[in-house]
Amino acid sequence: MEKATKFGILAVQGDFEAHAATLASMGADYVFVRTPRDLEGVDAVILPGGESTTQWKFLVEEGLDKSLLAHAARGGAIFGTCAGAILLAREVHNPMQQSLGLADIVVIRNGYGRQLASEVRHGATAISADPIEMVFIRAPIIERVGPGVEILAKSDGQPVLIRQDNILIATFHPELTSDNTIHEYFLQMATGIKNSLRSDSGPQGATTGVPARAGL
């Protein structure tokens, strides 16, 4: 019997428990990640919202930055939300910050201002027939995307949900809604990647998963 896809949630700071609750509601298997050892046997990783500077400092101190880079190099799936988007970006501004550099995007920290108030929007995506709820809390703005980045959703003309191969990024917080659409997409994406890697289908295997709907 095939093993279920196992998720790891970075549990340093921020809203990692909300992601855990979403995965639990889906019946998904997950562990909290605080050390490199916690990543053993993990197929897909979630980097949650929170304070990106604090999270980055922890990743470096614990050696998790190197472990996450190794996970990505093996083709493992990673999903970053809000602060997680900052950690995954190639370039970070306002102010500049180091990052994993796994996604070919440039982000502006606190792009919508430093206010603590949240903003809820609804928008169309390329992964669902119905609009989804988008909760923005001190969200970063994706200023530029590279040629290999697929834009799965926009809001006010700016990308808010993107995918690049095995990396999925949302500048908002899907875990703070009752809609599991994006987590379900990530589950299918991660499972597709895991299965293609297992079958040794070549370099293109790591980019397979769930196809987006055309026409965004």
Side-chain angles (χ1 to χ4, degrees):
M1 183 176 181
E2 184 176 311
K3 290 180 62 176
T5 299
K6 184 177 181 180
F7 292 86
I9 307 171
L10 181 66
V12 177
Q13 179 270 344
D15 60 350
F16 56 88
E17 290 184 346
H19 280 285
T22 300
L23 292 179
S25 72
M26 294 162 48
D29 182 22
Y30 69 88
V31 295
F32 288 131
V33 173
R34 296 184 177 93
T35 69
R37 177 172 289 186
D38 295 332
L39 283 173
E40 293 178 5
V42 165
D43 302 300
V45 179
I46 294 177
L47 305 181
E51 216 301 305
S52 61
T53 303
T54 300
Q55 293 184 10
W56 176 253
K57 182 179 179 181
F58 183 89
L59 291 180
V60 173
E61 288 177 348
E62 296 298 321
L64 273 165
D65 57 333
K66 296 180 178 63
S67 296
L68 288 169
L69 289 171
H71 171 81
R74 292 191 296 270
I78 303 179
F79 177 27
T81 61
C82 199
I86 296 170
L87 295 177
L88 289 167
R90 176 173 57 83
E91 290 184 30
V92 180
H93 299 286
N94 191 37
M96 294 183 67
Q97 177 179 315
Q98 289 184 293
S99 60
L100 295 168
L102 289 171
D104 191 11
I105 62 173
V106 178
V107 301
I108 306 298
R109 295 181 62 200
N110 300 309
Y112 298 95
R114 294 182 177 274
Q115 71 277 9
L116 296 179
S118 63
E119 180 180 4
V120 179
R121 305 178 187 177
H122 290 80
T125 75
I127 64 174
S128 172
D130 300 316
I132 65 167
E133 186 177 3
M134 303 175 181
V135 178
F136 293 87
I137 303 175
R138 297 179 63 184
I141 286 177
I142 297 177
E143 184 180 46
R144 293 195 297 274
V145 301
V149 175
E150 181 181 11
I151 298 173
L152 300 178
K154 291 183 178 181
S155 184
D156 287 345
Q158 294 170 318
V160 295
L161 179 67
I162 65 99
R163 177 179 176 180
Q164 183 178 354
D165 299 333
N166 54 326
I167 306 296
L168 182 68
I169 288 176
T171 61
F172 55 96
H173 293 263
E175 74 283 1
L176 298 183
T177 77
S178 59
D179 186 345
N180 293 348
T181 297
I182 296 179
H183 284 80
E184 291 281 3
Y185 175 83
F186 184 57
L187 170 61
Q188 295 176 53
M189 168 183 154
T191 300
I193 290 171
K194 180 183 72 170
N195 291 342
S196 65
L197 291 173
R198 178 176 296 161
S199 63
D200 194 25
S201 56
Q204 292 185 344
T207 65
T208 60
V210 184
R213 295 173 57 251
L216 178 67

PDB file of all heavy atoms in Angstrom, residues 74 191-208:
ATOM      1  N   ARG A  74      16.150  17.983  -4.083  1.00  0.00           N
ATOM      2  CA  ARG A  74      15.680  16.616  -4.341  1.00  0.00           C
ATOM      3  C   ARG A  74      14.346  16.608  -5.072  1.00  0.00           C
ATOM      4  O   ARG A  74      13.848  15.556  -5.450  1.00  0.00           O
ATOM      5  CB  ARG A  74      15.534  15.851  -3.024  1.00  0.00           C
ATOM      6  CG  ARG A  74      16.839  15.543  -2.312  1.00  0.00           C
ATOM      7  CD  ARG A  74      16.620  14.561  -1.171  1.00  0.00           C
ATOM      8  NE  ARG A  74      15.766  15.104  -0.124  1.00  0.00           N
ATOM      9  CZ  ARG A  74      16.205  15.782   0.935  1.00  0.00           C
ATOM     10  NH1 ARG A  74      17.505  16.004   1.085  1.00  0.00           N
ATOM     11  NH2 ARG A  74      15.371  16.233   1.849  1.00  0.00           N
ATOM     12  N   THR A 191       1.914  15.194  -3.969  1.00  0.00           N
ATOM     13  CA  THR A 191       1.762  13.762  -4.226  1.00  0.00           C
ATOM     14  C   THR A 191       2.198  13.424  -5.649  1.00  0.00           C
ATOM     15  O   THR A 191       2.876  12.420  -5.884  1.00  0.00           O
ATOM     16  CB  THR A 191       0.306  13.330  -3.998  1.00  0.00           C
ATOM     17  OG1 THR A 191      -0.069  13.614  -2.645  1.00  0.00           O
ATOM     18  CG2 THR A 191       0.132  11.840  -4.263  1.00  0.00           C
ATOM     19  N   GLY A 192       1.824  14.280  -6.607  1.00  0.00           N
ATOM     20  CA  GLY A 192       2.240  14.060  -7.989  1.00  0.00           C
ATOM     21  C   GLY A 192       3.752  14.111  -8.135  1.00  0.00           C
ATOM     22  O   GLY A 192       4.353  13.294  -8.844  1.00  0.00           O
ATOM     23  N   ILE A 193       4.387  15.070  -7.456  1.00  0.00           N
ATOM     24  CA  ILE A 193       5.842  15.185  -7.507  1.00  0.00           C
ATOM     25  C   ILE A 193       6.488  13.955  -6.878  1.00  0.00           C
ATOM     26  O   ILE A 193       7.434  13.378  -7.426  1.00  0.00           O
ATOM     27  CB  ILE A 193       6.301  16.475  -6.788  1.00  0.00           C
ATOM     28  CG1 ILE A 193       5.903  17.705  -7.609  1.00  0.00           C
ATOM     29  CG2 ILE A 193       7.818  16.449  -6.548  1.00  0.00           C
ATOM     30  CD1 ILE A 193       6.118  19.018  -6.889  1.00  0.00           C
ATOM     31  N   LYS A 194       5.985  13.563  -5.697  1.00  0.00           N
ATOM     32  CA  LYS A 194       6.548  12.401  -5.010  1.00  0.00           C
ATOM     33  C   LYS A 194       6.460  11.152  -5.882  1.00  0.00           C
ATOM     34  O   LYS A 194       7.443  10.396  -6.008  1.00  0.00           O
ATOM     35  CB  LYS A 194       5.799  12.160  -3.693  1.00  0.00           C
ATOM     36  CG  LYS A 194       6.329  10.964  -2.901  1.00  0.00           C
ATOM     37  CD  LYS A 194       5.515  10.726  -1.638  1.00  0.00           C
ATOM     38  CE  LYS A 194       4.141  10.168  -1.958  1.00  0.00           C
ATOM     39  NZ  LYS A 194       3.439   9.708  -0.724  1.00  0.00           N
ATOM     40  N   ASN A 195       5.317  10.932  -6.504  1.00  0.00           N
ATOM     41  CA  ASN A 195       5.131   9.741  -7.329  1.00  0.00           C
ATOM     42  C   ASN A 195       6.023   9.769  -8.576  1.00  0.00           C
ATOM     43  O   ASN A 195       6.555   8.738  -8.998  1.00  0.00           O
ATOM     44  CB  ASN A 195       3.669   9.602  -7.738  1.00  0.00           C
ATOM     45  CG  ASN A 195       2.771   9.251  -6.566  1.00  0.00           C
ATOM     46  OD1 ASN A 195       3.249   8.783  -5.529  1.00  0.00           O
ATOM     47  ND2 ASN A 195       1.477   9.499  -6.695  1.00  0.00           N
ATOM     48  N   SER A 196       6.180  10.962  -9.158  1.00  0.00           N
ATOM     49  CA  SER A 196       7.014  11.052 -10.363  1.00  0.00           C
ATOM     50  C   SER A 196       8.491  10.853 -10.021  1.00  0.00           C
ATOM     51  O   SER A 196       9.231  10.246 -10.794  1.00  0.00           O
ATOM     52  CB  SER A 196       6.807  12.404 -11.047  1.00  0.00           C
ATOM     53  OG  SER A 196       7.252  13.473 -10.239  1.00  0.00           O
ATOM     54  N   LEU A 197       8.915  11.349  -8.856  1.00  0.00           N
ATOM     55  CA  LEU A 197      10.292  11.123  -8.434  1.00  0.00           C
ATOM     56  C   LEU A 197      10.537   9.649  -8.148  1.00  0.00           C
ATOM     57  O   LEU A 197      11.591   9.105  -8.464  1.00  0.00           O
ATOM     58  CB  LEU A 197      10.601  11.959  -7.187  1.00  0.00           C
ATOM     59  CG  LEU A 197      10.673  13.473  -7.398  1.00  0.00           C
ATOM     60  CD1 LEU A 197      10.823  14.177  -6.062  1.00  0.00           C
ATOM     61  CD2 LEU A 197      11.805  13.845  -8.332  1.00  0.00           C
ATOM     62  N   ARG A 198       9.548   9.006  -7.543  1.00  0.00           N
ATOM     63  CA  ARG A 198       9.679   7.590  -7.207  1.00  0.00           C
ATOM     64  C   ARG A 198       9.796   6.735  -8.457  1.00  0.00           C
ATOM     65  O   ARG A 198      10.519   5.741  -8.489  1.00  0.00           O
ATOM     66  CB  ARG A 198       8.472   7.144  -6.375  1.00  0.00           C
ATOM     67  CG  ARG A 198       8.479   5.668  -6.013  1.00  0.00           C
ATOM     68  CD  ARG A 198       7.305   5.359  -5.112  1.00  0.00           C
ATOM     69  NE  ARG A 198       7.430   6.068  -3.846  1.00  0.00           N
ATOM     70  CZ  ARG A 198       6.412   6.292  -3.022  1.00  0.00           C
ATOM     71  NH1 ARG A 198       5.202   5.883  -3.336  1.00  0.00           N
ATOM     72  NH2 ARG A 198       6.601   6.928  -1.886  1.00  0.00           N
ATOM     73  N   SER A 199       9.091   7.141  -9.503  1.00  0.00           N
ATOM     74  CA  SER A 199       9.131   6.361 -10.739  1.00  0.00           C
ATOM     75  C   SER A 199      10.327   6.720 -11.604  1.00  0.00           C
ATOM     76  O   SER A 199      10.489   6.201 -12.698  1.00  0.00           O
ATOM     77  CB  SER A 199       7.840   6.566 -11.538  1.00  0.00           C
ATOM     78  OG  SER A 199       7.716   7.917 -11.937  1.00  0.00           O
ATOM     79  N   ASP A 200      11.150   7.689 -11.098  1.00  0.00           N
ATOM     80  CA  ASP A 200      12.374   8.087 -11.789  1.00  0.00           C
ATOM     81  C   ASP A 200      12.071   8.474 -13.225  1.00  0.00           C
ATOM     82  O   ASP A 200      12.685   7.972 -14.183  1.00  0.00           O
ATOM     83  CB  ASP A 200      13.396   6.956 -11.770  1.00  0.00           C
ATOM     84  CG  ASP A 200      14.788   7.428 -12.170  1.00  0.00           C
ATOM     85  OD1 ASP A 200      15.075   8.627 -12.000  1.00  0.00           O
ATOM     86  OD2 ASP A 200      15.572   6.593 -12.646  1.00  0.00           O
ATOM     87  N   SER A 201      11.138   9.403 -13.376  1.00  0.00           N
ATOM     88  CA  SER A 201      10.681   9.781 -14.708  1.00  0.00           C
ATOM     89  C   SER A 201      11.516  10.865 -15.348  1.00  0.00           C
ATOM     90  O   SER A 201      11.154  11.424 -16.367  1.00  0.00           O
ATOM     91  CB  SER A 201       9.222  10.255 -14.636  1.00  0.00           C
ATOM     92  OG  SER A 201       9.088  11.317 -13.705  1.00  0.00           O
ATOM     93  N   GLY A 202      12.660  11.198 -14.758  1.00  0.00           N
ATOM     94  CA  GLY A 202      13.549  12.171 -15.391  1.00  0.00           C
ATOM     95  C   GLY A 202      13.357  13.551 -14.814  1.00  0.00           C
ATOM     96  O   GLY A 202      12.542  13.786 -13.940  1.00  0.00           O
ATOM     97  N   PRO A 203      14.106  14.531 -15.327  1.00  0.00           N
ATOM     98  CA  PRO A 203      14.096  15.869 -14.767  1.00  0.00           C
ATOM     99  C   PRO A 203      12.755  16.561 -14.843  1.00  0.00           C
ATOM    100  O   PRO A 203      12.450  17.420 -14.036  1.00  0.00           O
ATOM    101  CB  PRO A 203      15.154  16.627 -15.613  1.00  0.00           C
ATOM    102  CG  PRO A 203      15.312  15.821 -16.857  1.00  0.00           C
ATOM    103  CD  PRO A 203      15.068  14.403 -16.441  1.00  0.00           C
ATOM    104  N   GLN A 204      11.914  16.182 -15.810  1.00  0.00           N
ATOM    105  CA  GLN A 204      10.616  16.817 -15.899  1.00  0.00           C
ATOM    106  C   GLN A 204       9.649  16.264 -14.875  1.00  0.00           C
ATOM    107  O   GLN A 204       8.615  16.864 -14.607  1.00  0.00           O
ATOM    108  CB  GLN A 204      10.034  16.647 -17.307  1.00  0.00           C
ATOM    109  CG  GLN A 204      10.805  17.423 -18.368  1.00  0.00           C
ATOM    110  CD  GLN A 204      10.131  17.334 -19.710  1.00  0.00           C
ATOM    111  OE1 GLN A 204       9.263  16.479 -19.928  1.00  0.00           O
ATOM    112  NE2 GLN A 204      10.531  18.200 -20.632  1.00  0.00           N
ATOM    113  N   GLY A 205       9.949  15.128 -14.284  1.00  0.00           N
ATOM    114  CA  GLY A 205       9.029  14.530 -13.333  1.00  0.00           C
ATOM    115  C   GLY A 205       8.757  15.394 -12.150  1.00  0.00           C
ATOM    116  O   GLY A 205       7.659  15.419 -11.630  1.00  0.00           O
ATOM    117  N   ALA A 206       9.753  16.165 -11.698  1.00  0.00           N
ATOM    118  CA  ALA A 206       9.590  16.984 -10.514  1.00  0.00           C
ATOM    119  C   ALA A 206       8.669  18.162 -10.741  1.00  0.00           C
ATOM    120  O   ALA A 206       8.247  18.816  -9.816  1.00  0.00           O
ATOM    121  CB  ALA A 206      10.943  17.498 -10.027  1.00  0.00           C
ATOM    122  N   THR A 207       8.316  18.450 -11.995  1.00  0.00           N
ATOM    123  CA  THR A 207       7.450  19.585 -12.242  1.00  0.00           C
ATOM    124  C   THR A 207       6.010  19.153 -12.499  1.00  0.00           C
ATOM    125  O   THR A 207       5.150  19.978 -12.732  1.00  0.00           O
ATOM    126  CB  THR A 207       7.939  20.379 -13.481  1.00  0.00           C
ATOM    127  OG1 THR A 207       7.805  19.565 -14.644  1.00  0.00           O
ATOM    128  CG2 THR A 207       9.396  20.775 -13.320  1.00  0.00           C
ATOM    129  N   THR A 208       5.756  17.875 -12.430  1.00  0.00           N
ATOM    130  CA  THR A 208       4.395  17.413 -12.653  1.00  0.00           C
ATOM    131  C   THR A 208       3.602  17.524 -11.366  1.00  0.00           C
ATOM    132  O   THR A 208       4.092  17.785 -10.313  1.00  0.00           O
ATOM    133  CB  THR A 208       4.364  15.962 -13.154  1.00  0.00           C
ATOM    134  OG1 THR A 208       4.973  15.146 -12.153  1.00  0.00           O
ATOM    135  CG2 THR A 208       5.101  15.798 -14.458  1.00  0.00           C
TER     136      THR A 208
END
